[in-house]
Amino acid sequence: MSTMRRAVAALALGLALAGCAASVTKSTPSEAPVNVGHGSSKSIVLNVKGSEVATTSKDWERFKAVWISSMQDEATTIGATFEAQDGTPKSTGQVGTLVVLDVYDFRYLSTGARIAFGMMTGNAFIKAKAQFLDLATGNALGERSYDTTSTAWQGVFSAMTVKQVQAICKDIGGELSPH
């Protein structure tokens, strides 16, 4: 294989693996800001729960692990500590923010599946709501609804589940980082 063909093949593979950025649709009841105090942005606790449709999916545990990993990365980016919380969401008495992510529905789609099967794999999507609570008291600080979707017509360049979760976590981090 010539050097030029190798370079083109490497570029194509890189683009295929990188994919397009995920588009997140965010909505709030009143577009009010999430009222997180400066100290509360230093510690983030994530509690991921879901509807029966979401939690009975064969991909639920893998999907939940992606959330925890992505939120941990985002917390590091904004200079916050991170902890995952299982079970019923609960305040801890510590300074920080509890993010309760309630997943209504999702379709997990890996980049590997998209590369292997192209647009026949369908679309990845997430429908979720995040409630922001004061970690010390449990008082509500705000909420956001998040919806994402991919489009099979973008082929291997479409944003799959991991990129969609990362995009939502980045948005959550933006709500929590000191402004």
Side-chain angles (χ1 to χ4, degrees):
M1 185 182 265
S2 73
T3 304
M4 179 62 118
R5 284 187 182 168
R6 283 188 192 137
V8 170
L11 177 63
L13 180 62
L15 288 172
L17 294 176
C20 292
S23 175
V24 177
T25 303
K26 174 178 66 170
S27 63
T28 62
S30 64
E31 293 300 320
V34 175
N35 295 318
V36 177
H38 182 68
S40 295
S41 64
K42 296 295 183 189
S43 181
I44 300 169
V45 174
L46 177 67
N47 185 300
V48 181
K49 62 183 191 158
S51 68
E52 186 176 345
V53 169
T55 59
T56 58
S57 166
K58 66 179 177 59
D59 295 313
W60 174 250
E61 290 304 320
R62 181 169 41 162
F63 182 67
K64 191 173 165 183
V66 169
W67 277 101
I68 292 167
S69 174
S70 296
M71 197 65 234
Q72 184 169 21
D73 291 345
E74 185 58 30
T76 299
T77 298
I78 66 170
T81 62
F82 175 79
E83 185 179 325
Q85 183 185 81
D86 286 323
T88 303
K90 57 192 168 296
S91 57
T92 65
Q94 299 170 332
V95 175
T97 302
L98 172 60
V99 179
V100 180
L101 183 77
D102 194 0
V103 179
Y104 301 120
D105 199 4
F106 73 99
R107 180 156 188 263
Y108 190 96
L109 200 54
S110 69
T111 303
R114 176 66 84 203
I115 290 171
F117 303 107
M119 64 184 200
M120 292 186 308
T121 57
N123 296 327
F125 68 88
I126 300 169
K127 294 190 182 309
K129 178 176 79 173
Q131 293 179 302
F132 300 85
L133 306 173
D134 184 289
L135 186 58
T137 65
N139 291 337
L141 303 172
E143 67 180 45
R144 298 283 184 264
S145 293
Y146 296 100
D147 294 328
T148 67
T149 189
S150 66
T151 175
W153 292 109
Q154 290 178 322
V156 295
F157 300 107
S158 180
M160 296 302 97
T161 302
V162 171
K163 288 196 180 287
Q164 292 176 347
V165 169
Q166 289 169 342
I168 293 172
C169 287
K170 183 171 180 58
D171 196 81
I172 290 171
E175 294 285 354
L176 299 177
S177 65
H179 301 289

